[in-house]
Structure formats: C-alpha cells, structure tokens
Amino acid sequence: MAKLILLCLNFMILRSAVEAVFEDQVGKFDCFDTHAQSSKKVLLATESNVFAALNTRTGDLFWRHVDKTGPEGNIDALLQHGQGDFVVTVELTELLVALLKAGNSLNCLCLLDAVLVVGNGRLLRSWEINVGGLNWEIVLDSGSETVDYQAVYSDGNGEVYAMGVVPHSHIAIVVYSVEDGEIIKQVSVEAPWLSNIQTSCTVIGPGMLTCMDPASVSLFMLDLHLESEMTQIPLQTLGLEVTPGFHPVLVSTQPNPAQQPLSEFLLQLGPEQYLLLQLSNGQIVTLRDFKPAMLASFATAGEKTVAAVMSPKNKTACSINLFNAETGRRLLDTTLIYNLDPNGGKPEKLYVQAFLKKDDSVGYRVMVQTEDHALAFLQQPGRVVWTREEALSDVVTMEMVDLPLTGTQAELEGEFGKKADGLMSMVMKRLSSQLILLQAWIAHLWKLFYDARKPRSQVKNEVTIENLSRDEFNLQKMMVMVTAAGKLFGIDSKTGSILWKHYLDNVPSNAAFKLMVQRTTAHFPHPPQCTLLIKDKDTGLATLHVFNPIFGKKSHITPPALPQPILQSLLLPLMDQDYAKVLLLVDDQYKDLSTELIWEVVIPTEVQKIVSIKGKRPNEHVHSQGRVMGDRSVLYKYLNPNLLAVVTESTDLHQERSFIGILLIDGVTGRIIHEAVQRKARGPVHVVHSENWVVYEYWSTKSRRNEFSVIELYEGMELYNSTVFSSLDRPHAPQVLQQSYIFPSSISTMEATLTEKGITSRHLLIGLPSGGILSLPKMFLDPRRPEIVTEQSREENLIPYAPELIIRTEWFINYNQTVSRVRGIYTAPSGLESTCLVVAYGLDIYQTRVYPSKQFDVLKDDYDYMLISSVLFALFFATMISKRLAEVKLLNRAWR
Amino acid sequence: MLNRDRVPPLWLFAQAALVAAAWCFTDMETGPGAGVSTQPNGDRFKIEGRAIVPGIKTQDWVSAARVLVEGEEYVGFLRTDGSFAVNDVPSGSYVVEIITPNYRFEPVRVDITTKGKMRARLVNYIKPSEVIRQPYPLQIRASGPQSYFMKRETWGWTDFLMNPMVMMMVLPLLIIVLLPKVVNTNDPEMRKEIEQSMNMLSPNPELPDVSELVTKFFSGSKGSSKAGGSSKGTRPAVKRR
C-alpha cells in the first residue's frame, strides 16, 4: 500500500527585523493575504498528527491544530457529523479528507462538527469546524484487552460506531451518542483473519460492515445493527479475478451522515482496474468495469451520487470522468484534464467535490494528491485553482547558496580572472566593460522611469530563474531544501517563492539525506554544484544526486554507482582543478583508500552512550583573539579549530543516577581537553559549539527544570603561538570556565548566529515548543558573569549573575507568526557584517534577518531623512539671513 | 422556504451545544472538584481547567491555542467555551502552559499523586519545592496581549528641547543675549562696579586672569549684543523685502 502522509503546513516565508521588531514593520515585510471567510473547507488529517481546515478557493489555512508527535498523537479516523442540507463525505483512509459543500451561500454559517479518533484509538474528539475549537473529548474505554480503535461510522440516527480490532481475534464495536459522547452499547464479533479495519473494511448500504480478506480472496459482511456473525462471499463466486500479489481495496460512500451509506461501492482489483459494484438484497452485482483506471472515488451533489474515475490519456496527462453511481453510465461533458508535472510524482489519491449546476447537471472540482505530497485543486476543464507543496512541511536538511552574479557583473569578474595579454587589449577590455556597465545603468534607469508611470498595482517584480542575480549586500540567496518525501526545492529567500522543484523517485522511505555544496557560485564560469547523498538507513546503500542549486537541473556529471554500504561521508576542504570540493566516502571495503587508526578514546558503552558530536562550522570567522579585561589586560581565547564536543547520556535512566557528560576532544591528537558531567540530568541535549565556547541544554531531573550550561576556554593572559594554531604544539592546557542557568521552557532546537567576519556579537537562536524563535544574546550565557559586581566587571560590561534566564517576547524574531514543531534553524552570513540570515523550518518555514549588534553598518530604516534635511536647510537659511542682517547692522553703524 | 429549512438545524445545534456544554460542566464537577480524578485507565489522569482572555470572545482565539504539558510531552486543545482537559497524563509534576501567539498566560505547575490527587501551584524554577496554591481545576486568565514589538523612538520638539546637550547650549546663549539687556554695560560706572565685585570675588592679586576674562567676556558680549540687537533690525529688513 502506498504510504501517504499529508502534512499540513502553513508555508510562510517572511522577512523582518529583529532587535528592533517594530510593529509598523509587520505589514512591510509580510506577504499575507486575508480572505473573506468562505464556507467551503477541506479538512485534512495528516500522518504528522496535524488536523486542519483549508479554504477550497485559495488553498489557505483557516486553522490548524498540531497534536503531539509519535503514536499517541496519531489521528486514526475522521468522521463528519453535520446538521443541515449539505453533503458530508467520510473517508477512512490513511489520508482522511472530507470535502464538504455547505449548500448555497445562504448557509454560510452552517454549523458543523468533526469527530476524530486520536492516539491509537484512545481518544475521541469532536471539533467545531468554523471556530476551530473542541466540542468535547473522551477517552475510549477498552476494558481489559487492548483494542485498536480504527474506524468510526455513523448513519445519522445520533449514534457513532467506533470500530476497533484485536488483530487475529475479534472486532470490538462501541456505540456512542453523538451529542454527549456517552456509551450506548458495546459488542464484539469474531474475526480471526482480520488485522486492520482501516485498510480492509468499509460500511456499505444499511450498516453492512464489509471487509476484504486478501488471503482467502473473499468478502466478509456483518450487519452492524444485528451484530450477528460475519458471512463470507468468495470473489470467485462473483466471477471476479484479482491481479496476483495485489491487496484489493474497498471504497464506499455515505452521501449524507443522516442517512445510511449507498449500497454501491468500488472495488479495486489491480493497480489499474476498478469495479463498480452494487449490493442489493444481499446479492452483489457488477455495474461497470473501469479498465484502465488509476484512481476512483465517489462524490455526491444534492441527490445524485457520482463516481469519478481517473484514467491515463497520454504520457503527460490524465483524464477524469464522472459516472452515475447507481447505473454506471458515463455523464456527458464531465471530462477534466489533469496534466502531470514532469518534476512531480504520480497521482496517488483523488478527492471530488461535486455540486449541482443551474440546469441540474453535476459539476465538480477535484483535489489530486500526488506521490511527492503535493495537492492540486482543479476545476473543469482542467484549470488548476491552487496547489500546495505539502512536502515542504517535512524539510530534512537545507543549504543557502549565493545567487550568481548577473551577466555584466560576471563579465567584469572575468576581466580580472584572465591573464594579462598586453597593455592595449587590457585598456580596450576595460573600456568595453565600462561601456557595458553604462548600458546596464541606462537600461535600469529607463525601467525605473517606465515603471513609475504605470500604476503601482501593475508593476510586478516577479522573481524567476532568468532574472535571478545577487543583490548589493548578498541578502537574497537560494534556499535549497531537501524534504523527507524526496522532493528538492529551490526557494528564493527574499520572496519565498518556489523557483524550482525536482522530485526524486525511488527514494527509500527510511532514507537519510546529506546535502553538500561542492562548488559555490564564486567560480565563474564553472556552475555551482550541490551533491545530495541519499542513504538507506537499513541497508546502508547510498545513491548520489548531483545538481545545480540555482536551476535545480541535474548535473551532466554522472556520479559513481555505490554498490557497497557507505559508512561515512565527509566533504574535504580540498578543491580539485575545477574548484569543486572533494567528497570523501568510506565504504566497508576500503578498496581505493585505506584508513588508519590514529587515536581512540574509549567511552564505556555500558555506562554511557554518545548522543551527538559537534565540531565548529568551517565557515566561521572569529575576529578578536581575546577579551579585554577591566584592568586593560587581555584574556586570550582558546581557538582550536579541531575541537570536538562529544555529548554522552547515561544508559541508566533512573532520575537519581542519570547523568549527561560532555567531552571536549582535540580531533587531531585525541587529547581530552576538558570533561564535564552533569549529575541528575538527562537529555535530550541540545549543543552549540562555536568560537571558544560550548553551550548545552539539558533537563535537570532533580529540580525538574531545563538548564543551560556554558563552557568557555581561554589560553590565559599570553598567547602561546599567535601566528598559527597547531594541535600538536600546544603545551598548556586551556583555562576552563563554566556557568549554568535555569531556562523557563523546554526547547526544540538551537543554533548560533553567524556573520561574515565575526565582528558582530553572537546570539543564540532557540526554537521553543510554543512556536517562537527566541534570539538570546550570548552575553547572558557568559561564565564570567559575576555574582558580586565590581568596578572591573562593570568596566567589562558583564551582566551580574542571575540564576534564571528570562524569555522576553520582544526577543522573538517571528513575533506571532509561530513556526510549529521547529526541526532546525539554519543560519548563514550575508554580505553585511551586521546581518545574519536565519531560516527556521518545521511544519512552517520562516526566513528572516537578525542583527545581533543592531544595524551598525546600515542606516536604520526609520532614519529620519526629513529631519536631517530640514535641519540642514534651516541652518543654511539661518546663515544666509544672519549674514544679511549683519551686513545691515554694519551699514547702520557706519551711518551712525 | 429556505428559512424554514434552515431553522431546525440551527435550533438542533443550539440544543446540541447546550447538551455538550452541560456535559462538560457536569464532568468537571464530578471529576476533580473533590480533588480526585478517576479515570478508567488506572494510572492515567486528566488535567482540567479553563482559560480566559478578558474582553475577547473565545471563538476568536481558541483555534490558535494549545495546552502544553511539560513542553510538548502532553498536548490538549481548548473547547469552544475556553475550558480544556488533557487526558492520559500519568502521575507526576508538570508545568501546564496555554500557548497562543497573541495572548500571554502564566504557566502553572500541577502535581498529580499516584492516587490521582491534584493540586496546582505557582511555577518557581529557583525553589521548585515552594508551594503557593492555585485553584484547581485551573483557572488561567490571560495577563494581556503578547508584546513582540519595541516602541520606536519618536521624535518630538519637547524631546529635542529637553535634551541635556541642547539645554547646555541654549541656557548660556540666553544669558549671553539677555544679560547685556538687563545690565547696561555701556555705562562706565556700572562697568567699574562689576569689575570691583569681580575683584572682590578673587582677592588673590596673582590671578588677574579672572578680571581679564570678565573684560574679555564683556568685549565679546558686545559683539553678541549686536547680534541681540539685530533682532530689532529684523523687522525693517523684512519690511524692506
């Protein structure tokens, strides 16, 4: 069965300023649209435990609820229960979508509930759809056995049937009252062959629970109201044949929750074959055989129920047609063409929203879900209303790549790159390049002038791949994102628009990804080059995908086939003759290169296990070698580029004996520089290692709180060898300072800001479970913070020690635009020293700039040009006037 | 006709909502009112309470709100009336927070004993054992909207004038301009008097600088008195233009 996830995301990329997040900037940077409340909603329940309502007109989110991760937050089933004359569809599949149509526009304020089964069938929740709030929530009682509640059914008489299964034993049915959630009755029915209700069962006609047993190739039926035994109907008796190795799938429809489901249902017999069947008087009749048919589904408009069937048309398109569900006849003028995206996946699910036209014929819109987790909403005859790239809610790793220079800039660069060939030709080259620049400038001015005449709304500065170029301060970059679905995206960091996408099929579901930038855009005319290593976690077998990060195109370089499991991969700082960094892959055969053990540090695995190893970022610069103390002496930093921070957790998880350890090891010599142990503490540990400091966060089991600890390393008052650092020649052990603090929240992820030259002070960017991204100045995590304030500490600007760090909401860089379930924060330097680019990704993606030391190299955007110019003018006029007055005065005195 | 069609559902819903509300209410009363919340699944309990944002309708904020228990370990959602229940929580001590992007709620620590006895108290991370009781079922009131933004420095004339640097410049200027008007320095008797009083102030004959300074000051003030006098001259100058 194709595994499907539909992740719901609120995809927003916004820019804003931190440190000075002023309210009037909000509108300035936002690209948010508010749409009038529409009655049409798509409800989504996803495998990442998100439940949301989408606007069918625009694809925007009305509201979204994020449950806890893991099986306890899993959404097992969704049921729509509504009052009023509108259509409700219930589909109990892995992706549960109910398209509902709220009748006519007068019924906009229709009142709707949705019932969810959550957490391995533990909880039953009822949602008020328009508000997005909960009606009620109850815990399902399963008695002594563990029943897995997987399906919900209601025929509108005020009863909800929650159906669970004890695998290979029986089906348990609990009947609840819809209004208050009270239990009416409980039954259990023998079904030793059944393991999963969701994949094999459906309710047909007058409450007939129908299940497919692929082993015996037969249907089992149970009347829910009578609760008798299940009756077996082998498919062969119906004259049907199943494609060998295929698990047949049943699809039924319940047009109105106040009535029982239709007696017609669909049966998928093979990857490209569907059958429309009818249950009448206990007999199953075949109405129509659809072959070839990729997807099929039911929809209802008014009293009419139709079946929509998608069949292949040619290589690039599919056609969707409607068929009358009761007769199986094709409806005229209902063809819809769906064009396949060459960079996308195959269609996987089909959801239909049908409505009655004025002439009483059936019109419809469809939502197509593809393998690459994209949703497309189409209307006849094939217009795409909106698309959503849901894969972006599961970004695994990302990189930011500088945009290429424009053609003219590249021309100039080329002039300096080439070897000199005579004075005259150099002069000519210089003149020609100046001419090109002049030409470009005039063209730019002309464009400005031309745009200024047009009304503002018509001026479009759309970013496309063609007009991409680096801006003056390198603030606009290409974000290359790798998603768990195996789809790659290139996103412009300034506008958040997707510039290219590429779906990699044959990515294993448990793949681990590593994205490496082998060549940046700095080596014109060589194109930039990224390499994605995709590794199957179970087998260790890996494949390489080499591509151009700006255009998303696959590189002409054919990566080598990797028949052996890969143990380790590393991007070396060495470059080949084409300026591409060398990628080192170590497999278990050691054929071409042999490795040799240099050092070994034994960490007893029965006591503790290594959780993470953090080195410093290779592109990090440290501007100042030391810190000036209050008495004007210098405390030099211990800046060892080979230092690794190794975090261990104890295997014993008892709260009295658990501990976490941190080892600072020199990667060249294997020497342990420092070792620290935090007793009565446990993970998850979040670590940031940079410059001469390591910051880590852990859970203190003793005091039941989150704590931060910072370690800083100093050489002392004298630098041993100031010209070059060598791990082999450092006789003195560094001085180690450490301090800990209480943090009043748990954290999801942590990263440090990064700037071009490292002059700007550092901030820690902390992703909180509340969805906020906190920008905490590193100044607060300084082991030299004094307990008693002295003259010297005041001179050094040290903040007096306080045990608790405070979360100030002014420090949230994303204000109320929360980023749910932050998975990672990526930081990149920009061309401005004061500015660091930040991307936070989780269910949402948020891009912004932060200024840890304020914008010292740019005029503030609230800079008062008016004031400055008016003061200058006033002074100018004042001097003019006073000069004149002085002349008059002198003249008067001369007359006196 | 449409109206007639629409009335029953609305009415039905109202009834349903009433029933639902009543159910929530009774449940809350029977549950932990006595301090014990018993649940079918033995060692798992339910944290209950209500969140209020004063002056704001619950419908307007509950859809963006969540109840987080100890980070994201347990998650609950708010009902349309602002009440909430987090199910399936084992005994222990937890920090319960209401998370919404627009309103600020104070966290509360909830302790659950192995028998299901509940109590709520203020969160104090520095002294975790300190107990300041809070009501249970929880009553959490928003302490106001979240303030994400700093106040921009606005520029006004008063700010400019009250600036100490400006005051330091303006006051001497005023003295320079006004003093010669008050005291007629052209009168030689007056000048003598001032010089004498200045000499009295600095009786040390080895420091004649002060008197010199004074004379310098006044000779300078002559120039400025011209400038001061120029204000008279302004009017005719303007008129002439």
Side-chain angles (χ1 to χ4, degrees):
Chain A
M1 243 250 59
K3 171 177 172 263
L4 222 289
I5 307 168
L6 185 69
L7 313 131
C8 184
L9 89 164
N10 184 358
F11 180 54
M12 49 193 186
I13 298 190
L14 303 156
R15 305 159 48 229
S16 73
V18 81
E19 272 303 317
V21 191
F22 299 113
E23 198 154 13
D24 52 79
Q25 283 178 338
V26 174
K28 192 165 167 181
F29 298 121
D30 286 12
C31 38
F32 245 44
D33 285 327
T34 41
H35 293 275
Q37 182 104 3
S38 153
S39 60
K40 288 173 185 159
K41 292 185 179 74
V42 184
L43 293 183
L44 300 177
T46 79
E47 271 197 3
S48 47
N49 310 348
V50 175
F51 181 52
L54 289 186
N55 187 337
T56 56
R57 208 164 288 166
T58 59
D60 293 338
L61 278 177
F62 278 120
W63 46 261
R64 179 181 69 177
H65 284 292
V66 182
D67 208 336
K68 64 185 287 191
T69 46
E72 284 182 59
N74 275 353
I75 297 166
D76 303 322
L78 166 77
L79 170 91
Q80 283 259 318
H81 166 80
Q83 287 114 339
D85 53 343
F86 45 82
V87 181
V88 180
T89 323
V90 183
E91 268 167 293
L92 299 167
T93 50
E94 277 176 320
L95 165 78
L96 306 153
V97 168
L99 269 177
L100 51 125
K101 177 175 163 279
N104 49 48
S105 55
L106 280 172
N107 258 351
C108 264
L109 282 169
C110 62
L111 302 155
L112 265 186
D113 300 348
V115 177
L116 277 189
V117 182
V118 181
N120 277 343
R122 284 278 299 156
L123 298 172
L124 194 65
R125 285 195 184 125
S126 165
W127 292 92
E128 156 62 82
I129 287 174
N130 280 319
V131 173
L134 202 60
N135 281 330
W136 45 260
E137 172 180 312
I138 50 167
V139 182
L140 294 185
D141 178 19
S142 49
S144 53
E145 296 160 285
T146 46
V147 180
D148 192 1
Y149 284 96
Q150 293 174 327
V152 206
Y153 160 74
S154 168
D155 62 2
N157 55 7
E159 287 174 359
V160 176
Y161 293 77
M163 286 167 277
V165 66
V166 178
H168 310 293
S169 167
H170 63 265
I171 300 175
I173 301 164
V174 188
V175 188
Y176 292 91
S177 158
V178 162
E179 246 111 69
D180 53 14
E182 261 170 52
I183 297 172
I184 297 170
K185 58 185 170 186
Q186 268 174 294
V187 224
S188 84
V189 180
E190 292 291 310
W193 45 269
L194 186 67
S195 61
N196 192 328
I197 288 191
Q198 264 173 304
T199 52
S200 21
C201 295
T202 181
V203 181
I204 295 164
M208 293 291 277
L209 180 71
T210 312
C211 297
M212 185 73 222
D213 177 26
S216 63
V217 200
S218 51
L219 289 172
F220 282 88
M221 301 188 105
L222 167 76
D223 194 324
L224 285 174
H225 302 289
L226 299 175
E227 296 113 22
S228 57
E229 285 192 353
M230 298 198 98
T231 47
Q232 187 179 4
I233 306 167
L235 282 186
Q236 273 180 334
T237 60
L238 302 170
L240 303 175
E241 245 179 81
V242 177
T243 310
F246 186 80
H247 186 306
V249 183
L250 284 164
V251 184
S252 72
T253 181
Q254 186 178 13
N256 191 337
Q259 281 162 26
Q260 49 193 237
L262 288 188
S263 47
E264 287 81 22
F265 61 99
L266 285 166
L267 176 63
Q268 189 182 8
L269 290 177
E272 294 224 325
Q273 189 187 9
Y274 278 86
L275 281 175
L276 181 65
L277 302 172
Q278 189 181 37
L279 176 79
S280 58
N281 305 326
Q283 294 294 310
I284 292 172
V285 189
T286 307
L287 291 177
R288 191 173 177 128
D289 185 356
F290 301 109
K291 197 177 179 183
M294 298 154 80
L295 298 168
S297 114
F298 281 115
T300 305
E303 297 295 304
K304 291 182 185 170
T305 298
V306 290
V309 178
M310 181 191 266
S311 45
K313 193 165 176 256
N314 52 38
K315 271 188 182 168
T316 59
C318 298
S319 67
I320 301 167
N321 281 297
L322 291 190
F323 296 86
N324 188 320
E326 277 153 42
T327 59
R329 257 204 305 267
R330 200 175 89 95
L331 299 176
L332 291 175
D333 299 327
T334 55
T335 310
L336 191 150
I337 306 295
Y338 171 70
N339 288 311
L340 294 168
D341 183 358
N343 292 321
K346 284 193 217 100
E348 204 175 45
K349 294 257 164 70
L350 182 71
Y351 306 97
V352 183
Q353 179 199 27
F355 52 85
L356 283 181
K357 289 186 193 161
K358 275 179 191 152
D359 58 351
D360 220 33
S361 64
V362 180
Y364 70 115
R365 297 188 190 94
V366 291
M367 188 162 80
V368 182
Q369 178 192 329
T370 49
E371 283 174 338
D372 55 333
H373 300 185
L375 288 178
F377 196 72
L378 299 102
Q379 67 182 38
Q380 274 182 293
R383 192 176 79 84
V384 178
V385 184
W386 49 262
T387 53
R388 283 177 74 90
E389 291 291 349
E390 296 293 330
L392 279 172
S393 67
D394 207 358
V395 173
V396 185
T397 174
M398 67 164 290
E399 283 288 343
M400 267 184 154
V401 183
D402 291 351
L403 291 177
L405 301 164
T406 55
T408 51
Q409 283 170 316
E411 190 88 7
L412 284 179
E413 292 276 313
E415 187 192 340
F416 299 111
K418 280 166 205 152
K419 288 266 155 38
D421 44 8
L423 185 72
M424 208 51 212
S425 61
M426 284 287 276
V427 170
M428 288 308 290
K429 220 181 264 173
R430 163 48 56 97
L431 281 178
S432 68
S433 55
Q434 294 287 8
L435 206 71
I436 292 167
L437 271 186
L438 187 74
Q439 213 177 346
W441 186 64
I442 291 169
H444 175 71
L445 279 187
W446 173 248
K447 193 176 176 291
L448 274 186
F449 174 70
Y450 193 72
D451 284 349
R453 292 192 310 172
K454 281 196 274 184
R456 172 92 22 122
S457 57
Q458 280 182 16
V459 181
K460 272 188 198 163
N461 278 324
E462 251 178 49
V463 186
T464 57
I465 282 184
E466 284 73 36
N467 63 20
L468 268 186
S469 66
R470 198 180 299 180
D471 61 334
E472 224 173 322
F473 298 120
N474 201 4
L475 292 166
Q476 187 180 4
K477 295 198 185 198
M478 176 67 85
M479 308 196 292
V480 180
M481 300 202 145
V482 181
T483 62
K487 198 169 187 183
L488 308 183
F489 291 90
I491 299 171
D492 171 36
S493 74
K494 196 172 182 181
T495 56
S497 50
I498 299 170
L499 296 180
W500 57 263
K501 46 196 170 190
H502 185 86
Y503 177 60
L504 303 169
D505 33 8
N506 66 43
V507 168
S509 57
N510 57 346
F513 296 91
K514 187 170 178 179
L515 180 65
M516 290 155 286
V517 182
Q518 278 195 291
R519 184 166 54 216
T520 61
T521 37
H523 305 285
F524 186 81
H526 296 288
Q529 185 179 320
C530 275
T531 300
L532 179 68
L533 180 76
I534 306 151
K535 183 175 151 184
D536 191 312
K537 271 185 200 156
D538 296 337
T539 61
L541 290 173
T543 50
L544 290 171
H545 175 67
V546 185
F547 63 101
N548 180 330
I550 304 298
F551 302 107
K553 288 200 192 85
K554 197 171 173 179
S555 168
H556 58 273
I557 300 163
T558 36
L562 306 167
Q564 299 299 329
I566 299 294
L567 298 180
Q568 218 160 11
S569 65
L570 187 66
L571 195 66
L572 299 177
L574 310 166
M575 282 189 191
D576 64 1
Q577 71 275 15
D578 289 336
Y579 306 102
K581 282 185 187 164
V582 178
L583 176 64
L584 175 76
L585 296 172
V586 181
D587 63 18
D588 57 357
Q589 301 286 307
Y590 309 110
K591 251 184 212 151
D592 300 330
L593 296 163
S594 63
T595 52
E596 199 179 309
L597 186 76
I598 294 175
W599 53 264
E600 193 176 26
V601 174
V602 180
I603 291 163
T605 46
E606 62 274 13
V607 183
Q608 54 190 347
K609 59 175 191 292
I610 295 175
V611 215
S612 71
I613 299 175
K614 281 269 170 114
K616 290 177 193 175
R617 291 176 63 163
N619 56 347
E620 177 184 283
H621 294 277
V622 181
H623 183 258
S624 93
Q625 290 282 311
R627 286 175 65 163
V628 181
M629 316 292 289
D631 58 359
R632 299 287 182 275
S633 60
V634 176
L635 184 61
Y636 287 98
K637 293 174 186 170
Y638 178 78
L639 297 168
N640 182 350
N642 311 317
L643 198 65
L644 300 172
V646 179
V647 182
T648 61
E649 276 179 30
S650 63
T651 44
D652 188 351
L653 290 175
H654 187 272
Q655 60 170 23
E656 288 294 313
R657 295 185 295 274
S658 68
F659 65 90
I660 61 150
I662 187 147
L663 290 158
L664 300 180
I665 300 176
D666 188 301
V668 173
T669 58
R671 191 171 149 197
I672 298 178
I673 306 290
H674 181 65
E675 189 174 4
V677 169
Q678 225 78 39
R679 294 195 189 286
K680 292 180 186 171
R682 65 171 161 79
V685 185
H686 299 272
V687 199
V688 171
H689 182 192
S690 179
E691 284 189 37
N692 63 327
W693 48 265
V694 179
V695 170
Y696 56 101
E697 189 262 6
Y698 52 88
W699 171 258
S700 162
T701 51
K702 187 188 165 205
S703 316
R704 288 193 306 260
R705 64 193 181 200
N706 291 286
E707 288 180 5
F708 262 99
S709 196
V710 55
I711 297 176
E712 285 196 2
L713 303 168
Y714 289 99
E715 293 242 344
M717 293 301 169
E718 272 165 47
L719 208 53
Y720 175 71
N721 180 354
S722 58
T723 47
V724 69
F725 189 95
S726 167
S727 291
L728 301 168
D729 180 30
R730 283 278 136 162
H732 311 295
Q735 297 174 11
V736 181
L737 303 173
Q738 182 161 17
Q739 215 169 54
S740 297
Y741 314 88
I742 302 163
F743 192 67
S745 166
S746 62
I747 73 171
S748 309
T749 182
M750 181 160 70
E751 188 54 84
T753 59
L754 190 67
T755 52
E756 181 96 359
K757 296 272 182 279
I759 300 168
T760 310
S761 59
R762 310 292 294 272
H763 276 201
L764 287 173
L765 299 165
I766 301 166
L768 303 176
S770 66
I773 312 285
L774 182 77
S775 179
L776 181 72
K778 167 71 179 53
M779 222 160 66
F780 285 89
L781 295 162
D782 182 348
R784 301 191 64 252
R785 281 176 71 175
E787 279 181 50
I788 302 147
V789 184
T790 60
E791 193 61 45
Q792 289 205 354
S793 71
R794 206 173 295 139
E795 190 96 338
E796 268 188 79
N797 268 334
L798 293 175
I799 307 158
Y801 180 77
E804 194 171 347
L805 296 169
I806 301 160
I807 297 178
R808 289 178 56 187
T809 44
E810 286 92 343
W811 288 343
F812 284 158
I813 60 174
N814 54 343
Y815 41 101
N816 65 352
Q817 310 285 3
T818 53
V819 182
S820 297
R821 263 192 229 147
V822 194
R823 183 194 282 251
I825 296 173
Y826 182 89
T827 53
S830 73
L832 286 171
E833 171 55 31
S834 66
T835 310
C836 168
L837 302 174
V838 176
V839 185
Y841 53 92
L843 283 183
D844 310 305
I845 299 170
Y846 187 84
Q847 199 275 130
T848 189
R849 303 169 187 171
V850 291
Y851 315 103
S853 300
K854 306 247 165 99
Q855 283 177 287
F856 57 81
D857 49 5
V858 197
L859 283 183
K860 278 193 242 161
D861 66 356
D862 63 334
Y863 186 76
D864 209 334
Y865 294 95
M866 276 304 288
L867 181 76
I868 284 290
S869 45
S870 59
V871 163
L872 276 177
F873 275 111
L875 281 175
F876 178 73
F877 283 113
T879 43
M880 293 291 281
I881 290 165
S882 55
K883 197 181 167 192
R884 171 90 186 130
L885 291 177
E887 274 171 16
V888 169
K889 181 105 181 180
L890 271 177
L891 196 66
N892 285 347
R893 183 173 296 177
W895 277 108
R896 203 179 280 165
Chain B
M1 198 204 122
L2 264 172
N3 250 332
R4 257 178 55 204
D5 275 357
R6 266 172 62 232
V7 169
L10 277 170
W11 189 84
L12 262 175
F13 179 82
Q15 200 183 32
L18 269 175
V19 172
W23 178 75
C24 299
F25 206 69
T26 49
D27 193 76
M28 231 190 310
E29 279 184 347
T30 52
V36 180
S37 145
T38 41
Q39 277 209 328
N41 201 7
D43 51 347
R44 295 258 171 155
F45 308 98
K46 176 153 86 171
I47 298 173
E48 285 181 302
R50 179 185 288 271
I52 303 147
V53 181
I56 309 284
K57 271 193 239 157
T58 47
Q59 292 99 296
D60 297 340
W61 63 272
V62 284
S63 67
R66 286 201 296 166
V67 185
L68 297 190
V69 178
E70 209 63 66
E72 244 176 340
E73 226 164 293
Y74 304 96
V75 177
F77 299 98
L78 283 115
R79 296 195 190 103
T80 42
D81 62 346
S83 62
F84 62 87
V86 185
N87 284 300
D88 273 357
V89 183
S91 61
S93 175
Y94 306 95
V95 174
V96 179
E97 286 172 286
I98 311 271
I99 298 291
T100 109
N102 296 323
Y103 303 100
R104 196 173 56 237
F105 290 91
E106 295 299 322
V108 182
R109 187 177 280 282
V110 173
D111 302 321
I112 309 172
T113 63
T114 44
K115 286 186 180 149
K117 267 206 178 273
M118 304 264 205
R119 75 166 177 200
R121 55 191 172 105
L122 276 186
V123 177
N124 188 341
Y125 285 111
I126 297 171
K127 281 187 239 156
S129 54
E130 191 192 50
V131 179
I132 299 171
R133 288 295 282 262
Q134 295 281 95
Y136 188 89
L138 302 170
Q139 292 285 333
I140 308 178
R141 188 176 274 272
S143 51
Q146 300 263 33
S147 61
Y148 292 110
F149 304 104
M150 298 193 184
K151 266 244 166 95
R152 225 198 246 290
E153 284 172 28
T154 51
W155 198 88
W157 282 103
T158 46
D159 297 345
F160 177 74
L161 290 177
M162 298 316 276
N163 189 328
M165 289 303 282
V166 173
M167 301 245 290
M168 270 166 68
M169 280 173 68
V170 167
L171 279 176
L173 208 83
L174 282 176
I175 292 168
I176 290 166
V177 173
L178 294 179
L179 209 66
K181 306 242 154 174
V182 182
V183 190
N184 188 0
T185 45
N186 286 339
D187 185 6
E189 277 175 33
M190 196 63 157
R191 192 180 264 192
K192 232 176 225 173
E193 236 171 72
I194 292 171
E195 265 172 35
Q196 270 174 2
S197 62
M198 279 302 185
N199 282 338
M200 289 273 280
L201 278 172
S202 57
N204 194 345
E206 279 173 27
L207 289 169
D209 303 13
V210 181
S211 59
E212 264 181 44
L213 273 175
V214 172
T215 43
K216 260 187 195 166
F217 173 73
F218 280 113
S219 60
S221 78
K222 259 183 204 164
S224 63
S225 74
K226 275 177 218 157
S230 72
S231 62
K232 283 177 211 156
T234 330
R235 268 165 240 140
V238 171
K239 265 178 196 165
R240 234 178 283 161
R241 269 178 220 167

